Amino acid sequence: MDKIEINGGNRLAGEVRISGAKNAALPLLASSILVNGVTEFTNVPDLMDIRSIKLLLEDLGATCEDGDGRVRIDGSGINKVEAAYDLVRKMRASILVLGPLLARFGHARVSLPGGCAIGARPVDMHLKGLEALGATIEIEHGYIDARVDRLIGNEVYFDLPTVTGTENLMMTATLATGTTVLRNCAREPEILALADALNRMGADVKGAGTAVITINGVEALKPATVEVIPDRIEAGTFMVAAAATGGDVQVLGCDPENMGGIINKLRQTGASVEIFDQGVRVKGDRGIVSTDIKTLPYPGFPTDMQAQFMVLMTIAQGNSVIHETIFENRFMHVNELQRMGADITVSGGNYARVRGVANLSGAEVMASDLRASASLVIAGLVARGVTTIHRVYHIDRGYEALEKKFSALGADIKRIR
Ligand code: EPU
C-alpha cells in the first residue's frame, strides 16, 4: 500500500493550479444518466472517486471516454438500474445516481450506503424527498428500491440542508410533471454549478444557491458540454499549508467568491490573503494566532476544511476551540496529531480545544478519511523531521497529484510504493 513521506520544515513558495472540484464533478457525472445521448464534461479531476463513479455508470450500461480532464458519457446505452453494493461501498456519493435513474427509468435500486468513518450519514432526507414526488421506496436486502409510474412535482422541506440530498432531488425533479419547490436547501457552490449544468441540458431550475429551489419539470434533457468548477477545498488546503509553513503561495484558478469562510478565518490567524484576478496569494510570514472555528453549512466555515485548520491551530499562539457541527465523528485526525506533539483535548464529542505548541515533530501516522489525511500532510510539512502517512488511498480519493503540487512549491514530499 502506498505511503507518503514528508521531510518537514520547508517554507512553501510559488504557484499551484487548482483542479476541478470532486464534489461538483460527482453530481455532474451522475446527471448524465438523465440524458439519452452524450454529455461532455471538462476540467474533471483525475481522482479515485471520479474513477468510481465512471465505473458505476459503465456498469449501468453508459459508455465513458476520457482523457485530459475531458469526460464524455453516452447515457443512451443504460440498460440497468441497479447500483451494486461493491461500487456504492467504495464511495457514498454513489447515492447520487438514485434520483437520475428513478427520473429516467421509473425504477432504481441502489445499495444503501452504510455509515462511514466520519459519521452515520443517513440518506433519509433523500428518500423522503423522492417519496414526496410520488416514488414508492422499499429497503430490502440492503438495497433502496425506488419505483414510480410518473413523478409529480411537489413541495419538499429538508430538515437539514443536505448537499447530495438537494442535488438528488434537484436532478429528479427536472423530469417530473409540474413544479417542485425544494425548501431549506443546501447552498453550496457545487449545487449552483449542478443547476447551471442542468439548465444547459434544457432543465428549468431556479434559485439554486439560495434556500429555495424551484424546478419546473421538462419532457427530456438534451446533451450539453459542462465545465467543472474549481475545487474550493483543494484551494483551501493549499492556502492553509502556505500559512502554516510561513510561505508565500499563489493559488491559481480558484474562485475566491466561493471561499469567504476560509479566507475570513485565515485572515483572523494573521495570514495575509490577497485576492487577484487569477486567484489568491497567501503569505504566512507574520506568525499564526489562534482563532475559534465552528463548521456550518455553506456559506459558513466548511467541515471539509476543519481538519486542515486544526493543524494550523496546533502551531498558533494561544488557544482555540474548534466546534464540528456537521458530522459526529470528524476528529479522527486528533489522535494522529497528538502523536506529532499537538496539544488537543476533545470534549463532548464535537469540541476540540487546541493549545498552540512551538513545534510538531514528524511521526508515522495513519490516514482515516480524505480531509483528515490532508491535515496530516500539512502537519508533516510543518513538523520537524520525517512524517510517514499510511493509507494514502484516502488522499487519492480527492486530491489530484497532491505530492507533485506540493513538491513544486518546495516541499520535500514523496510517495513510497
Ligand atoms: N443528513 C441526514 N439525513 C440525510 C442526509 C444528510 O441526517 O438524508 C445529515 C448528515 O448526517 C450530516 C448533515 O445532514 O449531519 C449534512 O450532510 P450532507 O448530506 O450535506 O453531506 P453529504 O451530501 O453526504 C457532502 C460532501 C461532503 C461534505 C458534506 C458537508 C459530496 C459528494 N460530499 O456530503 O464531502 O463533507 O457534503 O459539506 O458532495 C469530502 O469531500 O471529504 C466530503 C465528505
Coordinates of all heavy atoms in Angstrom, one line a residue, residues 22-23 26 93 96 118 121-126 160-165 167 188 303-304 326-327 330 370-371, ligand 1:
K22 N -14.0 17.8 -7.0 CA -14.6 16.5 -6.8 C -16.0 16.5 -6.5 O -16.8 15.9 -7.2 CB -13.8 15.8 -5.7 CG -14.6 14.5 -5.2 CD -13.8 13.8 -4.1 CE -14.2 14.3 -2.7 NZ -15.4 13.9 -2.1
N23 N -16.4 17.4 -5.6 CA -17.8 17.4 -5.1 C -18.8 18.1 -6.1 O -20.0 18.1 -5.9 CB -18.0 17.9 -3.7 CG -17.4 16.9 -2.7 OD1 -17.1 15.8 -3.0 ND2 -17.2 17.4 -1.5
L26 N -18.8 15.0 -9.2 CA -19.6 13.7 -8.9 C -21.1 13.9 -9.3 O -21.6 13.1 -10.0 CB -19.4 13.3 -7.5 CG -18.0 12.8 -7.1 CD1 -17.9 12.6 -5.6 CD2 -17.7 11.4 -7.9
A93 N -21.0 8.8 -2.3 CA -21.6 9.7 -3.3 C -22.3 8.9 -4.4 O -23.1 9.6 -5.2 CB -20.6 10.7 -3.8
L96 N -25.9 9.4 -5.5 CA -26.3 10.5 -6.5 C -26.9 9.9 -7.7 O -27.5 10.6 -8.5 CB -25.1 11.4 -6.8 CG -24.7 12.4 -5.8 CD1 -23.3 12.9 -6.1 CD2 -25.7 13.5 -5.7
I118 N -16.6 9.1 9.1 CA -16.9 10.4 9.8 C -18.2 10.6 10.4 O -18.5 11.6 11.1 CB -16.6 11.6 8.8 CG1 -17.6 11.6 7.6 CG2 -15.2 11.7 8.3 CD1 -17.4 12.8 6.6
R121 N -24.2 9.3 8.7 CA -24.5 9.8 7.3 C -25.8 9.1 6.7 O -25.7 8.5 5.7 CB -23.3 9.7 6.4 CG -22.1 10.4 7.0 CD -21.0 10.5 6.1 NE -21.2 11.4 4.9 CZ -20.3 11.6 4.0 NH1 -19.2 10.9 4.0 NH2 -20.5 12.4 3.0
P122 N -26.9 9.3 7.4 CA -28.1 8.7 6.8 C -28.6 9.3 5.5 O -28.1 10.4 5.2 CB -29.2 8.9 7.9 CG -28.7 10.1 8.6 CD -27.2 10.1 8.6
V123 N -29.4 8.7 4.7 CA -29.9 9.3 3.5 C -31.5 9.4 3.5 O -32.1 9.5 2.5 CB -29.5 8.5 2.2 CG1 -28.0 8.5 2.0 CG2 -30.0 7.0 2.3
D124 N -32.0 9.5 4.8 CA -33.5 9.5 4.9 C -34.1 10.7 4.2 O -35.2 10.6 3.7 CB -33.8 9.6 6.4 CG -33.1 10.7 7.2 OD1 -31.9 10.8 7.0 OD2 -33.8 11.5 7.9
M125 N -33.4 11.9 4.2 CA -34.0 13.0 3.5 C -34.0 12.9 2.0 O -35.0 13.4 1.4 CB -33.2 14.3 3.9 CG -33.4 14.7 5.4 SD -32.8 16.3 5.7 CE -31.1 16.0 6.0
H126 N -33.1 12.2 1.4 CA -33.1 11.9 0.0 C -34.4 11.1 -0.3 O -35.2 11.3 -1.2 CB -32.0 11.0 -0.5 CG -30.6 11.5 -0.2 ND1 -29.7 11.6 -1.2 CD2 -30.0 12.0 0.9 CE1 -28.5 12.1 -0.8 NE2 -28.7 12.3 0.5
L160 N -32.6 19.3 7.3 CA -31.3 19.9 7.4 C -30.9 20.2 6.0 O -31.3 19.5 5.1 CB -30.3 18.9 8.0 CG -30.3 18.4 9.4 CD1 -29.4 17.3 9.6 CD2 -29.9 19.6 10.3
P161 N -30.0 21.2 5.8 CA -29.5 21.4 4.4 C -28.6 20.3 4.0 O -27.4 20.3 4.5 CB -28.9 22.8 4.5 CG -28.7 23.1 5.9 CD -29.5 22.2 6.7
T162 N -29.0 19.4 3.2 CA -28.1 18.3 2.8 C -27.7 18.5 1.4 O -28.5 18.8 0.5 CB -28.9 16.9 2.9 OG1 -28.2 16.0 2.0 CG2 -30.3 17.0 2.5
V163 N -26.4 18.4 1.2 CA -25.8 18.7 -0.1 C -26.2 17.7 -1.2 O -26.9 18.0 -2.1 CB -24.2 18.8 0.0 CG1 -23.6 19.0 -1.4 CG2 -23.8 19.9 1.0
T164 N -25.8 16.4 -1.0 CA -26.2 15.5 -2.0 C -27.7 15.2 -2.0 O -28.3 14.9 -3.1 CB -25.4 14.1 -1.8 OG1 -25.6 13.7 -0.4 CG2 -24.0 14.2 -2.2
G165 N -28.4 15.4 -0.9 CA -29.9 15.3 -0.9 C -30.5 16.4 -1.8 O -31.4 16.1 -2.6
E167 N -29.0 17.8 -4.2 CA -28.6 17.5 -5.6 C -29.5 16.4 -6.2 O -30.0 16.5 -7.3 CB -27.1 17.1 -5.7 CG -26.3 18.4 -5.4 CD -24.8 18.0 -5.0 OE1 -24.5 16.8 -4.8 OE2 -24.0 18.9 -5.0
E188 N -24.4 25.2 -1.2 CA -23.0 25.1 -1.6 C -22.9 25.5 -3.1 O -23.8 25.3 -3.9 CB -22.6 23.6 -1.4 CG -21.9 23.3 -0.1 CD -22.9 23.4 1.1 OE1 -24.1 23.7 1.0 OE2 -22.4 23.2 2.3
T303 N -17.0 22.1 6.9 CA -16.5 20.9 7.7 C -15.3 20.3 6.9 O -14.4 19.7 7.5 CB -17.6 19.9 7.9 OG1 -17.0 18.7 8.5 CG2 -18.3 19.5 6.6
D304 N -15.3 20.4 5.6 CA -14.2 19.8 4.8 C -12.9 20.5 5.0 O -11.9 20.0 4.4 CB -14.6 19.7 3.3 CG -15.7 18.7 3.1 OD1 -16.0 17.8 3.9 OD2 -16.3 18.7 2.0
I326 N -21.3 19.4 11.8 CA -22.0 18.7 10.7 C -21.9 17.2 10.8 O -22.9 16.5 10.7 CB -21.3 19.1 9.3 CG1 -21.3 20.6 9.1 CG2 -22.0 18.4 8.1 CD1 -22.6 21.3 9.0
F327 N -20.7 16.7 11.2 CA -20.6 15.2 11.3 C -20.2 14.9 12.7 O -19.4 15.6 13.3 CB -19.6 14.7 10.3 CG -20.1 14.8 8.9 CD1 -19.4 15.6 7.9 CD2 -21.2 14.1 8.4 CE1 -19.9 15.7 6.6 CE2 -21.7 14.2 7.1 CZ -21.0 15.0 6.2
R330 N -15.8 13.6 13.3 CA -14.9 14.1 12.3 C -13.6 14.7 13.0 O -13.0 15.6 12.6 CB -15.5 15.2 11.4 CG -14.9 15.0 10.1 CD -15.5 15.8 9.0 NE -15.0 15.3 7.7 CZ -15.3 15.9 6.5 NH1 -16.0 17.0 6.5 NH2 -14.8 15.4 5.4
L370 N -10.6 11.3 3.9 CA -10.0 12.2 3.0 C -9.4 13.5 3.6 O -8.2 13.8 3.4 CB -11.0 12.6 1.9 CG -10.7 13.6 0.9 CD1 -9.4 13.2 0.2 CD2 -11.8 13.8 -0.1
R371 N -10.2 14.2 4.3 CA -9.8 15.5 4.8 C -8.8 15.4 6.0 O -7.9 16.2 6.2 CB -11.0 16.4 5.2 CG -12.0 16.6 4.1 CD -11.4 17.1 2.7 NE -12.4 17.0 1.7 CZ -12.1 17.2 0.4 NH1 -10.9 17.6 0.0 NH2 -13.1 17.1 -0.5
Ligands
EPU1 N1 -28.1 14.1 6.8 C1 -29.2 13.4 7.4 N2 -30.0 12.8 6.5 C2 -29.9 12.8 5.1 C3 -28.8 13.5 4.6 C4 -27.9 14.1 5.5 O1 -29.4 13.4 8.6 O2 -30.7 12.2 4.4 C5 -27.2 14.8 7.7 C6 -25.8 14.3 7.7 O3 -25.6 13.1 8.5 C7 -25.0 15.5 8.1 C8 -25.8 16.6 7.5 O4 -27.1 16.1 7.3 O5 -25.0 15.6 9.5 C9 -25.2 17.2 6.2 O6 -24.8 16.1 5.4 P1 -24.9 16.3 3.8 O7 -26.0 15.4 3.3 O8 -24.9 17.7 3.4 O9 -23.5 15.6 3.4 P2 -23.3 14.8 2.0 O10 -24.1 15.3 1.0 O11 -23.3 13.3 2.3 C10 -21.4 16.4 1.1 C11 -20.0 16.2 0.6 C12 -19.1 16.0 1.8 C13 -19.2 17.2 2.8 C14 -20.7 17.4 3.2 C15 -20.9 18.6 4.0 C16 -20.2 15.4 -1.6 C17 -20.1 14.2 -2.6 N3 -19.9 15.1 -0.3 O12 -21.7 15.2 1.7 O13 -17.8 15.9 1.3 O14 -18.4 17.0 3.9 O15 -21.5 17.5 2.0 O16 -20.5 19.7 3.4 O17 -20.6 16.5 -2.0 C18 -15.5 15.3 1.4 O18 -15.4 15.8 0.2 O19 -14.5 14.9 2.1 C19 -16.8 15.1 1.9 C20 -17.0 14.3 3.0

